[in-house]
């Protein structure tokens, strides 16, 4: 695991935009994770959402538990960051 992932410290208050700045591939991951996020393909909509959407909100909208979503995002970052 890289030091960047340790420092990211993802929790329920973390903004998706903060994660996407460091790991741009997270946007596509979210779109693949749930059909509810298909609208995020629109760059303008993603930009607007990313500055307001926390992990807790994404969890609520996707139907995943917060802890599960954090694990999935962290795992995806680790796999891509190898």
């Amino acid at each position: 695991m890289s030091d960047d992932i340790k420092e990211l410290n993802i929790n329920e208050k973390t903004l998706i935009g903060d994660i996407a700045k460091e790991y741009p591939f997270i946007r596509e991951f979210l779109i693949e994770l749930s059909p509810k996020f298909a609208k995020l393909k629109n760059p303008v909509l993603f930009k607007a959402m990313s500055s307001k959407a926390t992990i807790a909100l994404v969890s609520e909208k996707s139907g995943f538990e917060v802890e599960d979503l954090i694990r999935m995002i962290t795992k995806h970052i680790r796999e891509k960051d190898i």
Side-chain angles (χ1 to χ4, degrees):
M1 171 170 53
S2 76
D3 289 334
D4 290 341
I5 292 171
K6 287 183 207 170
E7 291 174 13
L8 192 55
N9 192 24
I10 300 171
N11 62 56
E12 69 276 356
K13 295 179 183 176
T14 303
L15 289 171
I16 289 300
D18 291 345
I19 299 171
K21 284 177 193 169
E22 188 71 31
Y23 306 100
F25 53 81
I26 287 300
R27 176 179 164 197
E28 199 59 41
F29 175 71
L30 292 173
I31 293 167
E32 292 172 8
L33 192 60
S34 173
K36 295 177 182 181
F37 297 125
K39 293 179 183 177
L40 296 180
K41 290 180 183 179
N42 178 323
V44 175
L45 184 58
F46 181 77
K47 186 172 181 170
M49 280 286 300
S50 67
S51 64
K52 295 177 175 78
T54 62
I55 290 289
L57 179 64
V58 172
S59 168
E60 182 182 314
K61 297 292 183 185
S62 67
F64 292 106
E65 294 293 325
V66 171
E67 296 81 15
D68 293 337
L69 183 61
I70 291 171
R71 271 194 290 275
M72 288 186 281
I73 289 172
T74 303
K75 181 180 180 213
H76 189 71
I77 290 170
R78 286 181 180 144
E79 289 171 353
K80 291 281 191 177
D81 203 42
I82 292 177

